[in-house]
């Protein structure tokens, strides 16, 4: 039965194939734009997120410098029942390092939710090169873990990341910092710690994160060198950066670890909340543009169906006179609208994919993003599925009212009118 | 006692455009199986209006209409569509074929809608009807390529496809020349005599009416002779 209606719909559609084609091209255009825009915008989102998020620990375990919550007097039995006012509480600077790192590593190794972790030592230092002294910070890292989890070696633009490990007493400087110090690979820079220790380190590479401010102050060395520099033992660590399998679990796991290890733990969502907002706005813009384009295409379909119905009054009257119900007529016109939607949408996602591939191959070189060679595109299948669903929904809505009008045509008026 | 196929009881119809005008009054008659009935009357006396009511396309009237013993009042639009599809074959003055389809498909459409026979059977039956009406050669032409007389024969073939209880025609020869009118009339006569097909044909052609088995004459919306 519905086969018959589809066949009738097909014949009516073919009888006006030029107009139908125009309508379908409208849908194709909107859907391809929609898919391209969404892929591109989300590619950009991924890129910008990657700039920070990929290089940031999902959970960072550290020990914040802050006054102790448990003041001695409150623990004393003698003054248990009295109000104790303590003025000018200061934090004791004794330990910035994390306690009991061995036990923490053991726990992390066993936790199935964890992708990996990288230990780190962060310290404020002065760099001296000739007469110049510049404040900055030095990060003691494990190159292999840092590269695997946070793509460290992708951002080393000159020299080799692995030399940090292979060359004793070596350092990789941020690009801005290296320029300020006028230090090239092979040069030696002097590092002064805040405690007064002094140590010469050999430059083995230059690092470019894409964030200029960061590159002006950051430098990297190995964990062992950092420990030596600080004059600490070989279990001294200030941070443990944990990467999770599921980033969304970070807030929960951070809380859990803070309790378990009796230290501070910060999740990535808290640390970088502003990035969410940017991504959301870009996504909303792409959807809005896509929907507007589709509405325009929808009006095109609406017009063409109205015209078709006007032209096919006789056909509709005769179908009704020979036993087709209003519902049958309505279905015929809905089928016409939907087939415009399906074909238009299908070609739309094909073209959308094509445009995405083209954009993906346009060179995009910027000094601040050394790893990016072309414009970013996200080829998520969701956008294509949404595109098809959108095209069907719009064409259905555009077809609905004309189809209902057709179903209500009174055959007597048409036949008598001749 | 012959079988009653269609029965109209006291049918009234008015238009309200812009004032109330009564077009049909006290229309009461029956049609028996196998009858070849013609309806005559001056132009504007309400013949077409009556035929649209009898064919269930017009539902705004007073009185009762029975087709095959079923009361048509209170039937839903979709149910009336089924009645038209199954029981009524319609031949219009202006052939009204669908130009998007070829001749054979035009004849087949109501049969496919009825969905009683397979597509192959419907096609076979449609071909039989076209042969019977002498236009089998035109089966695969587009409807628009036929002459007026041929088109009218195609629409008769279409009206026959579901073996309807009754064929209704609204001046089916009104738009044809004498020769083609005669051919169409002979077809109706053959249908009535050989196949005992029930026919109700509106005409203003006196000689056409004179050759039918029964004449209903109308004037000013009333039946004055039957
Ligand atoms: N939609 C309408 N509104 C008002 N009057 C109508 C309408 N349709 C037909 N009429 C009138 O009804 C009368 C009968 O018309 P019709 O049934 O077509 O006559 P016939 O077919 O016998 O020539 C005519 O006077 C015509 O003007
Ligand atoms: Mg008339």
């Amino acid at each position: 039965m519905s086969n018959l209606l589809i066949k009738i719909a097909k014949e009516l559609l073919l009888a006006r194939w030029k107009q139908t084609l125009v309508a379908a091209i409208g849908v194709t255009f909107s859907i391809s734009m929609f898919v391209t825009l969404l892929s591109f915008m989300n590619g950009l989102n991924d890129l910008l997120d990657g700039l920070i998020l990929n290089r940031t620990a999902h959970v960072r375990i550290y020990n914040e410098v802050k006054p102790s919550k448990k003041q001695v007097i409150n623990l004393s039995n003698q003054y248990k029942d009295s109000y104790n006012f303590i003025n000018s509480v200061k934090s004791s600077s004794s330990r910035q390092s994390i306690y009991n790192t061995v036990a923490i590593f053991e726990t992390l190794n066993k936790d199935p939710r964890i992708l990996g972790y990288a230990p780190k030592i962060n310290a404020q230092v002065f760099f001296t090169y000739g007469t110049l002294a510049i404040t900055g910070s030095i990060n003691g890292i494990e190159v292999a873990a840092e590269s695997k989890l946070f793509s460290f070696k992708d951002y080393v633009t000159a020299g080799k990341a692995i030399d940090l490990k292979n060359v004793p007493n070596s350092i990789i400087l941020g690009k801005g910092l290296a320029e300020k110090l006028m230090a090239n690979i092979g040069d030696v820079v002097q590092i002064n710690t805040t405690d007064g220790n002094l140590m010469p380190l050999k430059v083995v590479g230059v690092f470019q994160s894409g964030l200029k401010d960061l590159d002006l102050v950051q430098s990297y060395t190995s964990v062992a060198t950092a420990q030596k520099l600080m004059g600490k033992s070989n279990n001294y660590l200030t941070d443990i950066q944990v990467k999770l399998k599921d980033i969304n679990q970070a807030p929960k796991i951070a809380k859990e670890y803070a309790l378990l290890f009796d230290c501070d733990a910060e999740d990535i969502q808290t640390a970088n909340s502003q990035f969410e907002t940017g991504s959301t706005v870009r996504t909303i813009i792409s959807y809005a543009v896509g929907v507007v384009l589709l509405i325009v295409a929808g009006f095109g379909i609406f017009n063409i169906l109205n015209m078709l119905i006007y032209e096919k009054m006789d056909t509709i009257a005769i179908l009704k006179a020979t036993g087709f119900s209003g519902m049958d007529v309505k279905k015929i016109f809905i089928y016409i609208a939907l087939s415009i939607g399906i074909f238009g949408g299908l070609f739309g996602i094909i073209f959308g994919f094509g445009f995405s591939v083209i954009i993906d191959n346009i060179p995009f070189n910027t000094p601040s993003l050394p790893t990016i060679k072309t414009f970013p595109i996200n080829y998520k299948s969701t956008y294509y599925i949404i595109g098809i669903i959108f095209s069907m929904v719009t064409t259905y809505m555009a077809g609905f009212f004309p189809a209902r009008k057709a179903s209500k045509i009174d055959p007597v008026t048409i036949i008598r009118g001749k | 006692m012959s079988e009653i196929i269609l029965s109209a009881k006291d049918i009234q119809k008015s238009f309200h455009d812009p004032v109330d005008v009564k077009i049909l009054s006290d229309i009461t008659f029956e049609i028996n199986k196998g009858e070849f009935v013609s309806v005559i009357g001056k132009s504007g006396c309400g013949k077409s209006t009556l035929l649209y009511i009898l064919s269930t396309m017009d539902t705004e009237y007073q009185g009762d209409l029975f087709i095959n013993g079923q009361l048509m009042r209170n039937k839903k639009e979709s149910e009336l569509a089924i009645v038209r599809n199954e029981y009524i074959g319609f031949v219009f003055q202006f052939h009204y074929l669908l130009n998007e389809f070829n001749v054979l498909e035009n004849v087949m459409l109501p049969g496919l809608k009825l969905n009683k026979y397979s597509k192959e059977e419907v096609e076979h039956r449609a071909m039989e009807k076209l042969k019977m009406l002498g236009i089998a050669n035109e089966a695969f032409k587009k409807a628009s390529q036929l002459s007026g007389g041929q088109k009218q024969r195609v629409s008769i073939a279409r009206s026959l496809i579901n073996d309807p209880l009754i064929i209704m025609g609204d001046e089916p020869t009104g738009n044809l020349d004498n020769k083609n009118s005669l051919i169409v009339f002979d077809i109706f006569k053959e249908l009535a005599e050989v196949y005992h097909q029930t026919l109700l044909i509106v005409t203003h052609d006196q000689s056409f009416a004179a050759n039918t088995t029964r004449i209903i004459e109308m004037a000013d919306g009333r039946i004055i002779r039957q």
Side-chain angles (χ1 to χ4, degrees):
Chain A
M1 184 59 232
S2 64
N3 273 348
L4 175 61
L5 298 181
I6 288 170
K7 183 179 158 54
I8 296 173
K10 188 182 127 207
E11 295 300 332
L12 289 180
L13 198 142
L14 289 181
R16 277 259 152 256
W17 67 270
K18 276 183 198 156
Q19 281 89 335
T20 318
L21 192 66
V22 171
I25 288 173
V27 178
T28 300
F29 180 75
S30 324
I31 295 295
S32 61
M33 282 300 133
F34 176 75
V35 168
T36 313
L37 206 67
L38 223 59
S39 305
F40 187 38
M41 283 292 184
N42 279 285
L44 279 179
N45 278 350
D46 297 347
L47 183 144
L48 293 169
D49 289 352
L51 215 56
I52 288 286
L53 300 187
N54 281 355
R55 279 179 277 161
T56 312
H58 294 171
V59 174
R60 186 167 76 92
I61 300 169
Y62 64 108
N63 228 349
E64 186 140 45
V65 180
K66 66 184 170 204
S68 173
K69 281 178 198 155
K70 297 171 194 156
Q71 291 295 326
V72 183
I73 194 153
N74 290 335
L75 300 177
S76 152
N77 268 337
Q78 200 178 340
Y79 301 105
K80 207 169 66 183
D81 299 325
S82 38
Y83 281 110
N84 303 311
F85 297 98
I86 311 165
N87 288 329
S88 297
V89 179
K90 300 280 189 301
S91 44
S92 76
S93 66
S94 63
R95 287 195 71 146
Q96 259 194 60
S97 70
I98 303 168
Y99 299 85
N100 222 349
T101 48
V102 180
I104 293 178
F105 290 154
E106 244 167 50
T107 312
L108 293 181
N109 283 334
K110 276 188 235 144
D111 197 326
R113 297 168 298 181
I114 284 172
L115 194 68
Y117 59 87
K120 191 166 165 183
I121 298 167
N122 186 273
Q124 301 304 310
V125 292
F126 296 105
F127 297 92
T128 45
Y129 185 73
T131 54
L132 218 58
I134 297 167
T135 54
S137 71
I138 190 160
N139 298 291
I141 56 168
E142 261 174 25
V143 180
E146 197 78 15
S147 289
K148 186 176 145 242
L149 298 177
F150 306 110
S151 320
F152 175 71
K153 67 170 187 282
D154 290 348
Y155 299 93
V156 175
T157 50
K160 272 203 274 188
I162 200 70
D163 283 351
L164 270 194
K165 195 176 157 199
N166 296 343
V167 179
N169 296 342
S170 54
I171 187 167
I172 291 181
L173 297 172
K175 190 158 187 262
L177 185 62
E179 278 165 9
K180 254 196 197 168
L181 292 170
M182 292 178 292
N184 293 316
I185 292 175
D187 293 351
V188 172
V189 290
Q190 299 286 339
I191 312 291
N192 280 301
T193 66
T194 44
D195 296 342
N197 297 344
L198 185 96
M199 197 173 177
L201 294 179
K202 188 176 178 193
V203 179
V204 294
V206 173
F207 172 89
Q208 194 178 7
S209 68
L211 301 174
K212 210 166 179 182
D213 287 346
L214 214 68
D215 296 339
L216 272 174
V217 292
Q218 293 285 25
S219 68
Y220 291 90
T221 185
S222 67
V223 169
T225 310
Q227 284 163 347
K228 239 189 293 173
L229 177 71
M230 308 291 293
K232 303 284 183 180
S233 65
N234 66 358
N235 55 21
Y236 175 86
L237 288 176
T238 59
D239 293 67
I240 298 171
Q241 312 169 87
V242 181
K243 198 158 191 180
L244 304 175
K245 285 173 183 156
D246 177 12
I247 189 169
N248 295 320
Q249 292 221 18
K252 191 181 132 225
I253 293 176
K255 265 196 210 115
E256 196 181 310
Y257 285 172
L259 260 172
L260 188 63
F261 304 140
D262 190 22
C263 60
D264 294 293
E266 189 180 46
D267 57 88
I268 190 167
Q269 284 83 352
T270 312
N272 291 289
S273 47
Q274 75 275 18
F275 276 87
E276 280 297 286
T277 324
S279 307
T280 313
V281 168
R282 278 186 291 275
T283 310
I284 289 173
I285 290 173
S286 353
Y287 275 94
V289 172
V291 167
V292 167
L293 288 171
L294 271 174
I295 289 174
V296 174
F299 273 106
I301 294 172
F302 178 82
N303 269 338
I304 280 155
L305 281 178
N306 267 332
M307 198 183 70
L308 196 64
I309 287 162
Y310 188 76
E311 274 179 13
K312 299 296 173 191
M313 288 283 196
D314 286 359
T315 303
I316 295 165
I318 206 69
L319 285 174
K320 285 191 157 186
T322 56
F324 288 80
S325 65
M327 195 48 150
D328 294 334
V329 173
K330 189 166 161 182
K331 279 184 189 161
I332 288 171
F333 283 89
I334 291 282
Y335 289 152
I336 292 179
L338 280 185
S339 52
I340 294 176
I342 293 170
F343 283 106
L346 221 53
F347 278 100
I349 60 169
I350 292 172
F351 280 109
F353 179 74
F355 290 141
S356 300
V357 170
I358 291 171
I359 291 176
D360 200 7
N361 281 298
I362 297 176
F364 174 61
N365 288 311
T366 151
S368 60
L369 297 170
T371 51
I372 307 298
K373 300 279 174 258
T374 59
F375 279 108
I377 287 286
N378 183 331
Y379 292 101
K380 216 196 231 167
S381 58
T382 320
Y383 312 139
Y384 296 82
I385 295 165
I386 292 175
I388 280 287
I389 292 173
F390 266 24
S391 68
M392 304 263 285
V393 171
T394 351
T395 47
Y396 180 83
M397 298 209 289
F400 182 79
F401 292 101
R404 202 178 58 172
K405 191 167 115 190
S407 78
K408 295 223 167 103
I409 284 174
D410 178 10
V412 173
T413 340
I414 310 296
I415 293 165
R416 190 191 279 282
K418 269 267 161 163
Chain B
M1 180 64 211
S2 60
E3 195 184 330
I4 295 168
I5 280 180
L6 183 147
S7 150
K9 290 214 169 84
D10 200 19
I11 285 182
Q12 325 271 338
K13 163 106 188 164
S14 306
F15 283 112
H16 319 284
D17 183 24
V19 288
D20 279 22
V21 188
K22 197 152 201 194
I23 303 295
L24 296 175
S25 332
D26 313 324
I27 304 287
T28 302
F29 68 95
E30 286 170 350
I31 295 175
N32 294 318
K33 189 169 165 43
E35 273 189 303
F36 184 4
V37 185
S38 58
V39 180
I40 56 167
K42 288 205 184 73
S43 182
C45 71
K47 306 183 293 294
S48 296
T49 308
L50 175 62
L51 207 64
Y52 297 138
I53 292 172
L54 298 182
S55 68
T56 78
M57 283 192 279
D58 186 351
T59 51
E60 281 162 29
Y61 59 88
Q62 289 85 52
D64 291 335
L65 170 65
F66 294 88
I67 293 173
N68 202 25
Q70 298 172 36
L71 179 61
M72 290 298 117
R73 180 163 307 289
N74 301 330
K75 273 194 191 287
K76 282 190 288 209
E77 184 263 357
S78 57
E79 293 168 331
L80 291 177
I82 294 170
V83 168
R84 286 199 293 280
N85 187 231
E86 198 169 358
Y87 297 145
I88 302 172
F90 220 104
V91 184
F92 305 94
Q93 183 170 2
F94 299 93
H95 27 77
Y96 277 100
L97 299 179
L98 305 184
N99 289 323
E100 295 85 5
F101 294 90
N102 70 25
V103 165
L104 186 65
E105 287 168 331
N106 262 286
V107 177
M108 285 167 68
L109 273 180
L112 294 173
K113 166 69 196 172
L114 183 64
N115 209 11
K116 186 169 152 192
Y117 302 103
S118 73
K119 186 166 181 273
E120 289 69 32
E121 283 171 297
V122 173
E123 187 171 339
H124 177 75
R125 288 166 56 81
M127 213 58 203
E128 292 294 303
K129 307 290 178 195
L130 288 175
K131 271 183 203 151
M132 189 176 110
L133 300 181
I135 41 172
N137 288 340
E138 324 292 333
F140 297 101
K141 282 189 186 164
K142 283 278 167 198
S144 53
Q145 292 170 307
L146 302 189
S147 74
Q150 285 173 322
K151 280 181 185 169
Q152 201 55 301
R153 276 188 272 170
V154 175
S155 61
I156 295 171
R158 182 181 63 196
S159 73
L160 289 167
I161 188 72
N162 288 341
D163 296 327
L165 287 178
I166 184 166
I167 287 180
M168 299 185 187
D170 191 1
E171 308 200 20
T173 59
N175 203 33
L176 299 179
D177 60 23
N178 262 339
K179 186 179 141 237
N180 276 306
S181 295
L182 272 178
I183 295 173
V184 168
F185 179 75
D186 286 342
I187 289 168
F188 283 139
K189 204 160 171 76
E190 186 187 343
L191 286 174
E193 284 170 3
V194 182
Y195 300 95
H196 307 290
Q197 175 69 55
T198 315
L199 295 139
L200 175 67
I201 307 293
V202 169
T203 183
H204 56 248
D205 183 339
Q206 288 294 339
S207 60
F208 183 111
N211 281 298
T212 60
T213 53
R214 180 177 154 200
I215 297 173
I216 295 177
E217 190 175 350
M218 290 178 65
D220 292 334
R222 291 168 192 277
I223 294 179
I224 53 170
R225 180 165 68 94
Q226 66 167 303

